[in-house]
């Protein structure tokens, strides 16, 4: 029943977004400006590690049956245990004033475009990637490896790429990552029906590059905002990224239905190249942000932006109130 399936999937997506926001807001409340980047980078390593390892649950049972859904439900319930055992008080949360996408776009056109297109890319990778792998003839083990390698690669690339973007014009890093990801997607498309090993290698390279785009774009947006504006901007950024993550898989699925599985990586290549081309054009429209005014890169999960920004604003306010 596609309609009922869509409703339940939407409800689960809403709940998982809430889990990410709460978890990261609590991390930020316990962190300081001196260790926030390190703490959240470790959090992202654990998060992507869990996402990658979770792909191999496919080999435990038939994905068409109920058992894997029951297992996931049990794992989510187990996640409640450390929360209910904790004796620490939950952090206070203030409701920020809304900032619209139009105002954010005027502040950072490339950052806003990167958040939206990054959502389309990551949403397509997570949602349509397993479908593509199945259509190319991979069994459950192959599908799990295809997705896991793409996600595990992001564990290794987040911090090096982020540190690089802290030292140079962040737009150069974003453009370079986009173009390399586009080339990796084209390579994967060309070897799809020739070599499974080569396909996995290109998919791993693509995932390691593409899954950093959101963090790069978000950092670029923050470079053009005052600390007090970051909390207010979070809801708009989450909305834009979520819209991209919802629209991207639908559009790519339509193309794959019409053109075949090759449209998967072809579409991802076009999305990455489009964002990279827009980045090159923006470099000629605005000077770079001075190094002293750049915020530090923080590896961010799209669904967890609100929590991260609440924590940053709280820390800034506490520092301002400290004599």
């Amino acid at each position: 029943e596609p309609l009922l399936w869509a409703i339940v999937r939407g409800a689960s997506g809403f709940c998982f977004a809430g889990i990410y926001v709460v978890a990261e807001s609590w991390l930020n409340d316990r962190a300081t400006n001196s260790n926030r980047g390190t703490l959240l980078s470790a959090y992202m390593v654990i998060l992507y590690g869990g996402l990658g390892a979770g792909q191999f649950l496919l080999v435990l049972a038939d994905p068409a049956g109920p058992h894997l859904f029951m297992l996931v439900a049990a794992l989510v319930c187990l996640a409640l245990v450390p929360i209910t055992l904790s004796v620490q008080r939950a952090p206070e949360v203030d409701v920020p004033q809304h900032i619209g996408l139009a105002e954010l776009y005027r502040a950072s056109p490339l950052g806003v475009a990167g958040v939206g297109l990054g959502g389309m890319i990551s949403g397509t990778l997570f949602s349509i990637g397993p479908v593509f792998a199945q259509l190319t003839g991979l069994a459950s083990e192959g599908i799990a490896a295809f997705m896991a390698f793409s996600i595990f690669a992001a564990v290794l690339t987040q911090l090096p790429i982020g540190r690089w973007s802290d030292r140079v014009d962040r737009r150069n890093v974003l453009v370079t990552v986009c173009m390399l990801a586009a080339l990796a997607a084209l390579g994967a498309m060309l070897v799809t029906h020739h070599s499974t090993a080569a396909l996995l290698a290109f998919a791993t390279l693509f995932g390691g590059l593409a899954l950093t785009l959101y963090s790069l774009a978000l950092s670029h947006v923050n470079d053009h905002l005052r600390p007090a504006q970051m909390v207010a901007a979070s809801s708009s950024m989450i909305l834009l990224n979520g819209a991209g993550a919802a629209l991207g898989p639908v559009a790519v699925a339509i193309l794959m239905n019409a053109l075949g599985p090759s449209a998967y990586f072809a579409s991802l290549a076009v999305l990455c190249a489009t964002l990279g081309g827009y980045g090159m054009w923006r470099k000629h429209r605005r000077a770079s942000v001075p190094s002293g005014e750049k915020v530090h890169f923080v590896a961010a999960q799209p669904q967890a932006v609100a929590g991260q920004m609440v924590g940053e604003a709280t820390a800034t306010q506490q520092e301002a109130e400290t004599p």
Side-chain angles (χ1 to χ4, degrees), residues 110-245:
L110 177 59
V112 171
V115 168
L117 289 176
M120 295 182 70
I121 293 167
S122 62
T124 298
L125 190 154
F126 286 118
S127 300
I128 307 299
V131 178
F132 165 81
Q134 184 181 40
L135 291 176
T136 56
L138 295 179
S140 294
E141 295 82 357
I143 297 173
F146 176 82
M147 293 302 300
F149 291 170
S150 300
I151 299 170
F152 279 142
V155 174
L156 303 177
T157 57
Q158 289 281 343
L159 197 55
I161 290 177
R163 287 176 174 172
W164 178 28
S165 73
D166 282 340
R167 297 187 179 97
V168 301
D169 187 344
R170 215 180 301 273
R171 296 174 299 182
N172 290 336
V173 179
L174 194 147
V175 168
T176 301
V177 169
C178 282
M179 294 309 181
L180 290 176
L183 290 175
L186 289 176
M189 182 183 68
L190 294 175
V191 303
T192 295
H193 300 292
H194 300 285
S195 171
T196 300
L199 173 62
L200 291 176
F202 278 113
T204 300
L205 178 60
F206 176 80
L209 293 167
L211 291 179
T212 67
L213 290 176
Y214 178 82
S215 296
L216 287 171
L218 180 63
S219 297
H220 187 62
V221 171
N222 288 343
D223 287 340
H224 295 85
L225 298 177
R226 298 187 303 273
Q229 294 178 303
M230 293 179 184
V231 175
S234 64
S235 60
S236 295
M237 302 304 287
I238 290 176
L239 175 64
L240 177 61
N241 185 264

Side-chain angles (χ1 to χ4, degrees), residues 34 45-47 71 98 108-109 117 128 145 190 192 194 198 200 234 250 294:
S34 62
V45 169
I46 295 171
L47 179 59
L71 176 59
H98 178 70
S108 178
L117 289 176
I128 307 299
L190 294 175
T192 295
H194 300 285
L200 291 176
S234 64
V250 174
K294 294 173 65 176

Side-chain angles (χ1 to χ4, degrees), residues 37-50:
T38 301
L39 178 64
L40 290 178
S41 294
Y43 160 70
M44 286 304 300
V45 169
I46 295 171
L47 179 59
Y48 277 130

Side-chain angles (χ1 to χ4, degrees), residues 50-131:
L51 286 171
Q55 306 303 314
F56 291 103
L57 295 178
L58 283 173
V59 305
L60 299 181
D62 181 6
H67 300 92
L68 291 180
F69 294 95
M70 295 177 182
L71 176 59
V72 169
L75 292 174
V76 173
C77 292
L78 286 175
L80 288 172
V81 174
I83 298 176
T84 55
L85 293 178
S86 174
V87 297
Q88 295 188 2
R89 183 177 57 87
E92 299 293 334
V93 179
D94 295 325
V95 179
Q97 182 181 0
H98 178 70
I99 293 181
L101 287 175
E103 186 175 350
L104 284 174
Y105 183 81
R106 287 191 294 269
S108 178
L110 177 59
V112 171
V115 168
L117 289 176
M120 295 182 70
I121 293 167
S122 62
T124 298
L125 190 154
F126 286 118
S127 300
I128 307 299
V131 178

